[in-house]
Amino acid sequence: MSAYIIFNYKILDRIKIEEIRDLITPILEKYETEVIVASPVKAIEGETFPSMVIHKFNSIEDAEHFYYSKEHQEIVAFRKSITEGWATIVPGYVEEGL
């Protein structure tokens, strides 16, 4: 079952945020993920940060391996220094238990 990592954030340093794309691309390729959203956000209910990125993975395990990998954790530290926000891992649609 597919899984997603969702990043929702406010950019604090627009110049440095562009560096992340070059740093993350080889890691995304290694973990065979697909970026399905990378755009500004328009809230229609509640409050949200203005930017969102969503990565699609083949499974929760793949998403966790990517997120907690040493090479990605180096980018996490950099991203946290230039953004404010949150990230979460969620499974794809699960009908069981609804």
Side-chain angles (χ1 to χ4, degrees):
M1 172 189 321
S2 61
Y4 303 85
I5 297 181
I6 302 170
F7 299 93
N8 185 219
Y9 55 90
K10 174 174 70 172
I11 299 169
L12 304 175
D13 187 331
R14 288 232 167 251
I15 294 171
K16 289 186 179 178
I17 198 73
E18 296 301 322
E19 294 177 34
I20 288 180
R21 185 176 307 134
D22 293 335
L23 295 172
I24 195 96
T25 297
I27 301 168
L28 295 175
E29 291 171 358
K30 176 181 176 180
Y31 287 89
E32 299 177 354
T33 183
E34 178 184 357
V35 177
I36 60 171
V37 172
S39 63
V41 174
K42 180 179 179 182
I44 57 173
E45 289 187 27
E47 294 183 32
T48 187
F49 290 103
S51 298
M52 184 170 288
V53 174
I54 302 176
H55 299 271
K56 181 179 180 182
F57 295 84
N58 292 325
S59 68
I60 288 281
E61 293 80 14
D62 289 349
E64 289 174 340
H65 286 133
F66 163 81
Y67 186 82
Y68 295 110
S69 68
K70 181 179 187 237
E71 62 265 59
H72 183 252
Q73 287 302 300
E74 293 171 2
I75 295 171
V76 169
F78 177 58
R79 188 186 68 247
K80 286 182 177 181
S81 75
I82 60 172
T83 65
E84 175 186 323
W86 55 265
T88 190
I89 297 175
V90 296
Y93 179 72
V94 180
E95 190 169 325
E96 300 170 8
L98 293 179

